[in-house]
Amino acid sequence: MATNHHCSFLRHSPLFSSPWRTKKLSPNPSRVGFCRASAQYEPEEPDPLLRAALTSAWIRDQESRRSDPLFIDTYAGGLLSSDECLHLHSTSVSELYRYRLATKFIDERLQQLLSTSDQFRQIVLLSDGMDTRPYRLNWPRLSVIYDLSPERAFALGTKRLQVIGAKTSRNCLLFHFPNDSRNLHETLCKNGFNGNQPSLWMLQGLPLPCLNSFEELLLLISSLAMKGSIFFGELRIPSDWMISCTKKEWLENVFLRHGFRGSIVKYSEVAGNSELDPDTGFEASGSILFVAEQLRVSDAQVSCAV
């Protein structure tokens, strides 16, 4: 008889507790697109998570204005006020290049997976709160997108996107959940997530302040994602996450511990024939691009087998 390999505490605790948290947030999800948006408000105090989301939006907007862009985000500019644009241009060149390549990689991999299989209709975006992919990408009919991200950034982004008329594709649902909500496993399932169907999980921008945060994220995905589901994106790896091994060894080991087969994708491969110099040092930075496949069965699959 199959046994459940997942930790029960995932059902009762937040995905992680961020040291940058600025106020207590409601654990209730918000559905946007066809229904109401989450609470809308302007930030009342400096918020590093909000600034990070705005910086990423600024990079996407700048890239979209180039004559030969790696990707196009027609909504990114609508997320920024004129004052914010004046203060966000100090982003380092290496950080700007890295983010451009990561966004290109994720966009292309996501579109490839969606176009080559009609099974992936559950998509979970682990984002910074201002991910415009639900609006700017062409989603298959009956796609359900779950956005897990910081609430303040998502609320402000939703407010500004509504002003410029951004909408999700027809017959596509978008749900938002604050990333520090309690009972994420239960909340996702109550809002239609099905562990007996394949899913795609994309990581870019979700704050992971410590290694334990990433381990908890892997436990959550491993418990929810059906065998054969795909987890991919960009991961920031502080030096203290790895002790005495290479990034490749560390990635493979940490993924295997949680039931995934993971591999690194080089930034130089994504750069390809673009004007970006593949030797700029992306591979030596504190970030990696990765793709991982779920090898275990989900909790839902275990329940069906019992």
Side-chain angles (χ1 to χ4, degrees), residues 72-212:
I72 296 177
D73 185 345
T74 57
Y75 296 107
L79 293 169
L80 305 163
S81 68
S82 56
D83 288 341
E84 287 163 347
C85 290
L86 291 174
H87 292 90
L88 293 173
H89 61 77
S90 59
T91 305
S92 68
V93 173
S94 60
E95 178 73 7
L96 189 149
Y97 282 179
R98 178 200 59 76
Y99 183 84
R100 290 166 62 191
L101 288 174
T103 303
K104 170 182 168 64
F105 162 71
I106 293 170
D107 282 3
E108 292 181 348
R109 184 56 60 101
L110 184 57
Q111 294 290 350
Q112 176 193 19
L113 290 167
L114 291 174
S115 63
T116 56
S117 173
D118 59 2
Q119 297 184 8
F120 294 119
R121 294 298 178 265
Q122 299 182 114
I123 302 93
V124 183
L125 304 179
L126 306 163
S127 75
D128 59 19
M130 292 191 177
D131 192 336
T132 57
R133 290 184 176 94
Y135 307 96
R136 65 182 175 85
L137 297 185
N138 185 25
W139 296 95
R141 185 174 178 272
L142 302 181
S143 294
V144 182
I145 305 169
Y146 300 92
D147 182 288
L148 273 63
S149 61
E151 174 68 10
R152 300 187 82 188
F154 183 87
L156 179 60
T158 298
K159 178 179 180 179
R160 293 181 175 181
L161 288 171
Q162 286 180 334
V163 169
I164 62 175
K167 296 181 180 180
T168 57
S169 302
R170 296 186 63 183
N171 299 316
C172 173
L173 295 179
L174 170 62
F175 292 89
H176 168 67
F177 305 91
N179 59 295
D180 58 355
S181 298
R182 303 185 67 84
N183 303 316
L184 270 174
H185 185 292
E186 179 181 350
T187 303
L188 281 165
C189 293
K190 283 185 175 179
N191 284 273
F193 188 91
N194 188 344
N196 285 307
Q197 296 179 1
S199 54
L200 297 178
W201 298 71
M202 184 283 296
L203 174 65
Q204 187 182 31
L206 181 75
L208 297 170
C210 62
L211 178 57
N212 187 56

Side-chain angles (χ1 to χ4, degrees), residues 5-6 215 218-219 221-223 225-231 251-262 292-298:
H5 58 277
H6 303 113
E215 298 262 9
L218 288 175
L219 281 170
I221 298 174
S222 184
S223 68
M226 176 182 173
K227 184 177 181 180
S229 295
I230 305 296
F231 178 33
L251 181 81
E252 292 175 350
N253 289 335
V254 72
F255 271 124
L256 278 175
R257 285 203 306 271
H258 297 285
F260 295 88
R261 181 193 298 115
E293 179 184 358
Q294 163 75 301
L295 302 178
R296 295 175 179 172
V297 295
S298 65

